[in-house]
Amino acid sequence: MNKLLYFFLLLNFNFCFSQFAIIKDTDGFVNVRNTPKKANNISDKLNNGFIIYYFKQKNNWLSIYYKKNGKELNGFIYKDKVKYIYDYKSIPLKSNTNGQVILENNTLKIEVKETNFVKEKHKLNYLKNSSVLNKIDGSAFLGTDGGIPKREYKSIEIKINNIKVEIPKTALQNLYEPNLQNTKANYDELNDILYIQSSNSDGAGGYDIMWIIDKKKFKNRVEFYGF
């Protein structure tokens, strides 16, 4: 098989299988373990509603990654202890043209736009004595592996039952090389929570991002990278 084709198939497989999920258990929490088995190996506890990200399943165990108290952590949890984001109502893609995607149904409309990255509008910092880009506007960034980005998010506009949701600029900061065709959205109608996510990169510096809109207000974003 052509090596380039193999790379893209593998990348696509990882993006398709890697998923966001929410801790959901009748006990109100789950134990995170160091190994995929029940033993004296509990490393952490995650409460219901906590967002995790998983790459693979081993038998009945999920290998997960998560962020807690500013740290990136990993471990194993039983597969039935989560609610998968894709299980919530999917918002269908309506169009994808000219740097804009629209996802829409009868109650919800999402418009995501990108724009060219203009380096003159940003402060670029490089590693000492190197051409490797280290920070943009004083912050670490996602989307490239040390190269100058070509594209960035311009805006996300959301209406739920004709109510406009305000998305702050900070929700889009330091996210580059968006792949708008990967934009997906799922809506938890019972709890009025909207999840918007995408897998982005320029072929290096890949990351998955998810924005959470809780009761028509922007709550936070969660990103995972380095795969």
Side-chain angles (χ1 to χ4, degrees):
M1 181 184 292
N2 180 279
K3 290 184 178 180
L4 184 60
L5 176 60
Y6 175 79
F7 169 77
F8 282 110
L9 287 175
L10 181 62
L11 187 65
N12 185 63
F13 172 80
N14 284 335
F15 282 160
C16 289
F17 191 81
S18 304
Q19 299 286 347
F20 287 99
I22 305 167
I23 299 298
K24 186 176 182 180
D25 187 72
T26 54
D27 292 333
F29 69 93
V30 298
N31 290 319
V32 181
R33 300 177 184 272
N34 291 323
T35 54
K37 62 181 180 180
K38 288 187 177 181
N40 187 24
N41 58 353
I42 296 174
S43 60
D44 202 354
K45 182 178 78 172
L46 301 178
N47 294 325
N48 278 0
F50 195 95
I51 300 292
I52 61 96
Y53 186 82
Y54 70 91
F55 276 100
K56 59 184 178 180
Q57 180 175 325
K58 184 176 181 179
N59 297 324
N60 290 320
W61 294 88
L62 297 178
S63 175
I64 70 166
Y65 292 79
Y66 61 100
K67 294 183 178 180
K68 188 176 181 181
N69 300 325
K71 297 181 179 179
E72 298 176 11
L73 305 167
N74 61 76
F76 296 87
I77 61 174
Y78 203 73
K79 68 174 184 177
D80 293 337
K81 305 297 184 179
V82 301
K83 173 76 173 181
Y84 302 103
I85 297 297
Y86 61 69
D87 284 339
Y88 292 116
K89 185 175 183 180
S90 177
I91 310 303
L93 176 67
K94 183 178 180 180
S95 67
N96 177 13
T97 57
N98 300 320
Q100 172 182 279
V101 293
I102 297 176
L103 295 85
E104 187 175 12
N105 63 12
N106 58 335
T107 61
L108 231 159
K109 184 176 182 180
I110 303 164
E111 297 182 57
V112 183
K113 298 178 182 179
E114 67 175 16
T115 188
N116 291 331
F117 179 87
V118 180
K119 64 180 182 180
E120 288 78 14
K121 294 183 179 181
H122 297 274
K123 182 180 179 181
L124 307 182
N125 295 100
Y126 296 86
L127 293 177
K128 188 176 181 179
N129 300 321
S130 171
S131 62
V132 176
L133 188 61
N134 184 35
K135 292 183 179 180
I136 299 177
D137 300 325
S139 299
F141 61 95
L142 301 173
T144 77
D145 190 16
I148 297 176
K150 296 181 177 65
R151 295 168 294 110
E152 61 183 314
Y153 280 103
K154 181 179 181 181
S155 64
I156 297 180
E157 299 177 7
I158 303 169
K159 283 188 177 180
I160 304 174
N161 292 318
N162 290 318
I163 297 174
K164 185 177 180 180
V165 177
E166 296 295 334
I167 304 298
K169 291 183 178 180
T170 53
L172 303 176
Q173 286 179 349
N174 77 321
L175 303 176
Y176 300 105
E177 309 301 44
N179 295 328
L180 295 189
Q181 71 275 9
N182 292 334
T183 307
K184 298 178 182 178
N186 297 83
Y187 187 46
D188 175 0
E189 295 178 290
L190 179 63
N191 296 298
D192 189 16
I193 303 176
L194 174 65
Y195 302 95
I196 304 171
Q197 58 183 302
S198 184
S199 296
N200 299 327
S201 82
D202 65 348
Y207 67 99
D208 273 18
I209 177 75
M210 184 169 71
W211 297 273
I212 303 169
I213 314 301
D214 191 345
K215 295 175 179 57
K216 302 175 183 63
K217 293 184 179 180
F218 175 75
K219 182 179 180 181
N220 66 326
R221 79 182 204 197
V222 182
E223 67 273 347
F224 290 92
Y225 55 91
F227 45 85

